[in-house]
Amino acid sequence: MQITFLGTSSGVPTRSRNVSSIALRLPQRAEIWLFDCGEGTQHQFLRSDLKVSQISRIFITHLHGDHIFGLTGLLASCGLAGNAKRIDIYGPSGLSEYLQACVRYSQTHFSYPVKVHTIEPGMIFEDEEYQVVCGYLKHRVTALGYRIIEKDKPGRFDIEKAQKLGIPPGPIYAQLKQGQTVTLPDGRTIRGTELCGVPQIGRKFVYCTDTVFCEGAVELAQDADVLVHEATFSHQDAEMAFQRLHSTSTMAAQVALAAGVKQLIMTHFSPRYAPGNTIILDDLLTEARAIFPNTNMAYDFLTHEIPRRS
């Protein structure tokens, strides 16, 4: 599981930061799951080593322009490239109507299946390897945060030990690999856990933006390996954050601390904190680390490998 930040500015792009988008790369599946799609996201793909042809799912947090204005263009380009497969899009009420209007008035036709899922809090996707859960945040419009859960995997199966025990290969091996207890034809009972190494604990990635501090974010982020949380404003501009229902750096850190996450990466920074101004982004990092030391700041094209727990 590898995340690449394709846009880390709030509201409008700057010379060095595009507006919101994060790619979650799943190399073993040759898939990319995209979170938000601000204007210019497809240009950011061109400047990265990511492939738009691998996008299989897109998760939209809310319908503000800096999170969705790049969606139609990206989908259209995927079709023109001729290598797109089905893309599933998840988001709040109104997303389907927005996309339909863009397609209708621009006379755009997708050459591949596009399915929009209007979602409510709870589990919105599950397969053999992953679950995706969403929950409400607190913003000026309906906004959703996302929690991606990699399922635990059984430890390495010791084939040599199984052979020494005289266990016949075949379907029994598959059961034992899953940690099941199996009774052999000769009456012996074998516990799969005795033939498997330590299970691999699944990783948890959480994405929360846009929102002011809220319990919904804390609940969603519980015990996450990596929490990506917006930090639009400095703590010194907290009044502005409350008015606009955005987070300060300290709010992001408070969510991380309350949720017991392993690492916090802040994003979605106001352009007001440009170099040379009274408050700069380094100040936001200092504020956050005073509360939650394991905090980093995202920048465009930062790639971060989500580590496995030992």
Side-chain angles (χ1 to χ4, degrees):
M1 295 176 73
Q2 188 181 78
I3 51 177
T4 297
F5 291 83
L6 297 172
T8 55
S9 179
S10 71
V12 296
T14 69
R15 288 177 181 266
S16 60
R17 296 177 184 271
N18 198 48
V19 284
S20 292
S21 187
I22 292 180
L24 173 64
R25 187 166 169 260
L26 306 173
Q28 73 277 14
R29 298 161 63 125
E31 286 186 34
I32 289 174
W33 293 1
L34 195 65
F35 294 83
D36 284 334
C37 190
E39 180 183 0
T41 294
Q42 64 172 312
H43 293 270
Q44 299 293 84
F45 265 91
L46 294 173
R47 296 175 61 192
S48 74
D49 61 357
L50 302 173
K51 298 178 181 179
V52 294
S53 60
Q54 292 186 341
I55 298 173
S56 60
R57 303 184 190 280
I58 300 175
F59 301 88
I60 300 297
T61 58
H62 64 293
L63 301 188
H64 279 158
D66 58 326
H67 294 255
I68 62 168
F69 279 168
L71 184 57
T72 308
L74 177 67
L75 294 173
S77 293
C78 286
L80 291 172
N83 52 10
K85 46 188 179 290
R86 174 189 171 102
I87 294 181
D88 287 272
I89 306 172
Y90 305 80
S93 176
L95 177 60
S96 180
E97 291 83 351
Y98 165 77
L99 192 56
Q100 288 173 11
C102 290
V103 167
R104 182 168 67 252
Y105 290 113
S106 64
Q107 296 291 301
T108 300
H109 302 281
F110 300 134
S111 58
Y112 59 95
V114 175
K115 171 68 174 176
V116 179
H117 305 262
T118 300
I119 56 175
E120 299 284 344
M123 189 181 301
I124 59 171
F125 172 77
E126 182 176 20
D127 65 10
E128 292 181 353
E129 294 181 284
Y130 295 97
Q131 294 176 332
V132 181
V133 174
C134 75
Y136 285 135
L137 303 175
K138 188 175 181 182
H139 194 44
R140 302 192 307 276
V141 298
T142 300
L144 297 161
Y146 292 97
R147 176 183 178 90
I148 294 75
I149 304 160
E150 180 186 41
K151 295 182 179 180
D152 296 345
K153 296 179 181 178
R156 180 182 172 276
F157 182 67
D158 192 334
I159 295 178
E160 292 183 2
K161 186 175 181 180
Q163 291 173 339
K164 288 179 180 179
L165 290 171
I167 302 172
I172 293 176
Y173 274 26
Q175 293 175 281
L176 292 171
K177 285 179 182 180
Q178 296 299 318
Q180 298 178 23
T181 298
V182 175
T183 300
L184 301 180
D186 60 11
R188 287 183 295 158
T189 299
I190 306 293
R191 288 198 295 260
T193 52
E194 296 177 352
L195 294 172
C196 294
V198 178
Q200 290 185 341
I201 299 175
R203 292 161 286 189
K204 303 175 186 69
F205 164 63
V206 176
Y207 178 59
C208 290
T209 183
D210 291 0
T211 184
V212 73
F213 178 90
C214 67
E215 289 302 321
V218 174
E219 182 178 344
L220 207 60
Q222 285 296 316
D223 194 38
D225 293 282
V226 174
L227 165 64
V228 174
H229 196 290
E230 74 128 295
T232 307
F233 294 108
S234 162
H235 178 67
Q236 298 179 57
D237 292 322
E239 183 59 35
M240 196 179 304
F242 282 115
Q243 289 174 359
R244 302 182 184 182
L245 295 183
H246 277 293
S247 286
T248 63
S249 56
T250 52
M251 290 179 193
Q254 287 164 347
V255 170
L257 183 65
V261 309
K262 300 297 182 283
Q263 182 175 19
L264 167 65
I265 304 179
M266 299 189 299
T267 188
H268 199 267
F269 307 112
S270 170
R272 71 178 54 240
Y273 305 117
N277 290 351
T278 304
I279 304 172
I280 60 174
L281 289 179
D282 284 348
D283 296 321
L284 275 68
L285 183 59
T286 300
E287 292 170 351
R289 283 181 172 172
I291 296 171
F292 191 80
N294 196 15
T295 299
N296 289 311
M297 301 191 79
Y299 55 85
D300 285 22
F301 305 112
L302 167 66
T303 294
H304 178 80
E305 185 82 31
I306 302 176
R308 287 195 180 278
R309 303 187 186 191
S310 55

